[in-house]
Amino acid sequence: MKKIPITDLDGFQIGQAQDRQQGTGVTCILSMEGATAAVDVRGGGPATRETDLLDPKNMVQKINAVVLSGGSAFGLESSSGVMQYLKEKGAGFGMKGLVVPIVCQASLFDLPCGSPDAYPDKAMGYEAAKNSEHPEWKSGCYGAGTGASVGKLMGFENAMKSGIGSCACQIGALKVGAIAAVNACGDVFEPDSKNRLAGIYNRAAGMEINTEDAVLNRMTQSMEGMNTTICAVITNADLNQAEMTKLAGMCQNALARTIRPVHTPNDGDTVFTMTTNQVPMDLTAVSVVAIKALSEAIVDAIKSAEPMFGLESWSSLEEKKAKNNA
């Protein structure tokens, strides 16, 4: 298995746009020819668009884009810009001489970062789609990860900055990539470890607080919050829509390996899968690579984030620890 750039998966275009001053953005993964796709939603508070049509029993079997964005439900407007771009390119589902681009989306709640009135609109969605023409990827506080944060159970003032991350792998002809915008309620860890990377951070005390412990200490209190980790896994494996649906569900294991707690009533955790159907491959083999790639994309989202909007990040805390130990 070798690592490759996320932009090296043939048949996909990836674009991002953001407003780093106001703290929101959008990331889109486009397939001009159409990709067999599926979704698995585990969180209790999703903000999504066109996920019902991804049920294998429904008519549409291929889609043209997955959009990941900030802005909560307001951010769903950005898909209209992606649709406009795809229509201009003639990409979509053909119906009696008409073309209707099929665009699915999930949004995360980033309104506490920057301006609470900022969200990705149609213009920003179009900009992200247009940017996909020039393969370039930035992890961290870009695209859908611009306003992302983690560890908000004890208030936004005790959160840490996160972002968007990616990882892609190749074994022989098989290519699998993953993109994750991490805005989780829980803490983020290195996969299958106790090495905590980010979560609740009490700035006044300069102390990290384990979210699971905080939940148990507040069992009789309301723990409202708006959080989500939204992801897209892309591949060239030749899998049908039922298999892609199973793959999306299996990829939720990556969230379980890195985020604690996860899939809470306060999360909208959503995983999309897309494939160009180019390489015959066993589903189990694809899932092993996909889960590894998505786990590492989540870690990349944390480690690539910079301190913004008054929040510390993994990188800024590591700098402080290094100075204290010098």
Side-chain angles (χ1 to χ4, degrees):
M1 186 184 302
K2 67 176 181 178
K3 296 286 184 66
I4 59 174
I6 190 68
T7 52
D8 275 8
L9 276 88
D10 298 332
F12 295 104
Q13 295 177 206
I14 302 171
Q16 301 198 95
Q18 55 279 318
D19 183 339
R20 281 169 55 89
Q21 297 299 314
Q22 298 196 82
T24 196
V26 59
T27 300
C28 61
I29 304 98
L30 309 184
S31 173
M32 295 300 181
E33 300 299 322
T36 302
V39 68
D40 187 280
V41 182
R42 297 281 176 95
T48 54
R49 164 193 162 125
E50 296 281 43
T51 52
D52 285 350
L53 64 76
L54 293 177
D55 189 316
K57 70 175 180 287
N58 290 334
M59 178 179 64
V60 173
Q61 297 292 301
K62 294 192 175 186
I63 68 172
N64 301 104
V66 162
V67 178
L68 309 176
S69 84
S72 189
F74 295 109
L76 295 174
E77 180 184 326
S78 58
S79 282
S80 297
V82 177
M83 283 193 71
Q84 178 183 338
Y85 173 86
L86 290 166
K87 181 182 178 182
E88 291 173 0
K89 298 296 182 180
F93 186 76
M95 299 176 61
K96 297 182 179 180
L98 302 175
V99 174
V100 179
I102 307 299
V103 178
C104 301
Q105 182 175 4
S107 298
L108 54 80
F109 186 84
D110 60 0
L111 302 181
C113 272
S115 169
D117 297 320
Y119 61 87
D121 58 10
K122 181 177 180 179
M124 186 179 287
Y126 186 89
E127 179 186 356
K130 185 70 174 176
N131 289 342
S132 73
E133 297 175 2
H134 310 286
E136 180 183 11
W137 174 261
K138 287 185 178 181
S139 293
C141 303
Y142 297 92
T146 305
S149 57
V150 297
K152 297 178 282 276
L153 185 69
M154 297 178 66
F156 181 73
E157 66 277 8
N158 294 311
M160 287 180 63
K161 191 70 183 73
S162 59
I164 196 167
S166 73
C167 177
C169 304
Q170 181 174 0
I171 303 179
L174 174 67
K175 294 181 179 181
V176 182
I179 294 171
V182 182
N183 195 57
C185 176
D187 299 330
V188 180
F189 292 78
E190 293 277 7
D192 300 317
S193 79
K194 295 182 179 180
N195 183 20
R196 182 180 183 272
L197 300 175
I200 300 173
Y201 179 71
N202 187 319
R203 282 186 285 173
M207 179 177 65
E208 298 175 64
I209 299 173
N210 183 282
T211 297
E212 289 184 327
D213 291 342
V215 168
L216 296 178
N217 289 332
R218 296 157 57 96
M219 289 173 61
T220 61
Q221 302 177 39
S222 173
M223 290 180 275
E224 296 180 0
M226 301 297 289
N227 311 275
T228 279
T229 299
I230 50 178
C231 316
V233 172
I234 56 178
T235 181
N236 60 0
D238 187 13
L239 302 174
N240 62 38
Q241 196 176 39
E243 290 173 315
M244 291 296 284
T245 300
K246 183 61 177 176
L247 179 63
M250 295 171 78
C251 284
Q252 292 277 7
N253 291 340
L255 278 67
R257 291 180 179 183
T258 53
I259 301 170
R260 302 170 206 160
V262 72
H263 305 146
T264 76
N266 300 328
D267 287 309
D269 302 321
T270 300
V271 177
F272 292 98
T273 52
M274 305 171 71
T275 183
T276 54
N277 299 104
Q278 296 171 325
V279 179
M281 193 62 56
D282 176 74
L283 171 60
T284 301
V286 177
S287 73
V288 170
V289 183
I291 292 168
K292 177 177 176 59
L294 183 51
S295 297
E296 296 196 19
I298 291 169
V299 171
D300 182 42
I302 297 300
K303 291 189 173 181
S304 298
E306 61 200 272
M308 294 177 70
F309 308 111
L311 301 182
E312 298 283 5
S313 66
W314 175 86
S315 60
S316 63
L317 290 186
E318 287 297 297
E319 279 187 29
K320 288 183 177 181
K321 291 175 184 176
K323 288 180 181 178
N324 291 337
N325 293 331

